[in-house]
Amino acid sequence: CDWRSVGDYRDIRYEVAEGIAKITINRPEVRNAFRPQTLFELSDAFNRARDDDEIGVIVLTGQGDLAFCSGGDQRIRGDDGYIGDDDVANRGIGRLNVLDLQVQIRRTPKPVIAMVAGYAVGGGHVLHIVCDLTIAADNARFGQTGPKVGSFDGGYGSGLLARIVGQKKSREIWYLCKQYDAAEAEEMGLVNTVVPLAQLERETVSWARQMLQHSPLALRMLKASHNAVDDGLAGVQQLAGDSTMLFYMTEEAQEGRNAYREKRTPDFGQFPKRP
Ligand code: 2NE
């Protein structure tokens, strides 16, 4: 892929090619741990990819071969969350804004692929969980560390993980804080496929290209449908919003709009009462 860099970011890179947006966490010196700034930038990049109607698939990855993401940057973890530069100026109040990013990835109406080389642990592991698909390199290692470092993610990090690998395995992953290699992750359905490290990007781009050949609206509806139950009323709301969007595209809905604008009674009688 001939990636073209877009935007001006400190902690991440945003690149596009062939209808694919690649978002890279770029803090390899800390195994791509995130701080509040990283998450604000990731949020901006996901919005950028969502709003760009040329982009059909988004890839989330980490810089280098050693890590996808190692979770929250423990060096700037305060007593109530992660403290960014602005937060220090603003009385040092901590944030857990990775949770907002998780929700944003779920609500982004385009497939998101986690492209994982090296460690995906802690909050970094949860980021791959909330992506639609995960392509792992054979050097990938997965796990949660929360109980070891005094943290936990009781939302998607537990609930969605349990949906993916089952209740017993999810509790094992969290309670014991073990690490799992790529083959074990594939075995438990935590990743879609495992490929040699040297082929990781090629394989990921190939999956993206296959999806780009398919109907973007069908993919959008499938993402919302897969999310709906687990996301509760917010999931239903997204699916319902997509229904409204599709309804707006019909002549029946447009008749309602046109009648209002033309100050006449709408003629809905022309439309069939479908069986
Ligand atoms: C990721 C892992 C397993 C890598 O191990 P290894 O042996 O390959 O590297 P090493 O030497 O541990 O790490 C290299 C450098 O990166 C820093 C290290 O401190 C080290 O720095 P130097 O000693 O060279 O200066 N580093 C790595 N991860 C970091 C991190 N998360 N924050 C700050 N610096 C980090 C191994 O490094 C590891 O286990 N890392 C910690 C993983 C972890 O516990 N993450 C936090 C979980 S809690 C969380 O993410 C969270 C949540 O649970 C709920 C809400 C929000 C966030």
Side-chain angles (χ1 to χ4, degrees), residues 57-237:
V57 176
I58 302 165
V59 174
L60 176 64
T61 193
Q63 175 62 30
D65 297 342
L66 298 180
F68 170 75
C69 177
S70 63
D73 187 331
Q74 298 304 298
R75 299 172 309 177
I76 48 100
R77 179 171 156 190
D79 292 344
D80 59 350
Y82 296 88
I83 299 177
D85 296 347
D86 294 348
D87 302 316
V88 173
N90 193 14
R91 295 188 287 124
I93 292 170
R95 294 175 191 269
L96 286 168
N97 56 332
V98 72
L99 306 178
D100 299 326
L101 180 69
Q102 294 171 9
V103 172
Q104 185 180 356
I105 292 173
R106 294 281 285 186
R107 290 189 75 88
T108 299
K110 302 177 180 183
V112 180
I113 308 176
M115 181 169 83
V116 178
Y119 289 102
V121 296
H125 188 253
V126 181
L127 283 182
H128 105 88
I129 289 172
V130 297
C131 291
D132 295 88
L133 301 166
T134 299
I135 316 277
D138 51 10
N139 77 334
R141 288 187 75 78
F142 300 86
Q144 297 297 158
T145 65
K148 245 186 0 193
V149 296
S151 181
F152 63 93
D153 182 334
Y156 286 126
S158 315
L160 195 55
L161 181 63
R163 287 279 198 186
I164 296 169
V165 301
Q167 283 285 341
K168 297 282 185 187
K169 202 72 197 178
S170 176
R171 285 164 207 242
E172 172 192 313
I173 290 169
W174 273 103
Y175 297 178
L176 278 72
C177 298
K178 290 199 293 187
Q179 285 181 2
Y180 303 84
D181 65 23
E184 291 170 306
E186 190 176 25
E187 171 96 1
M188 61 175 119
L190 191 55
V191 306
N192 293 87
T193 192
V194 179
V195 295
L197 177 60
Q199 286 167 30
L200 180 62
E201 185 161 301
R202 197 179 322 148
E203 183 71 13
T204 306
V205 167
S206 155
W207 284 51
R209 284 183 181 140
Q210 288 176 59
M211 288 187 281
L212 285 166
Q213 286 170 14
H214 296 154
S215 154
L217 270 180
L219 294 177
R220 180 189 181 106
M221 297 306 292
L222 281 165
K223 176 161 183 172
S225 303
H226 276 87
N227 288 354
V229 170
D230 292 325
D231 287 356
L233 204 47
V236 172
Q237 193 255 10

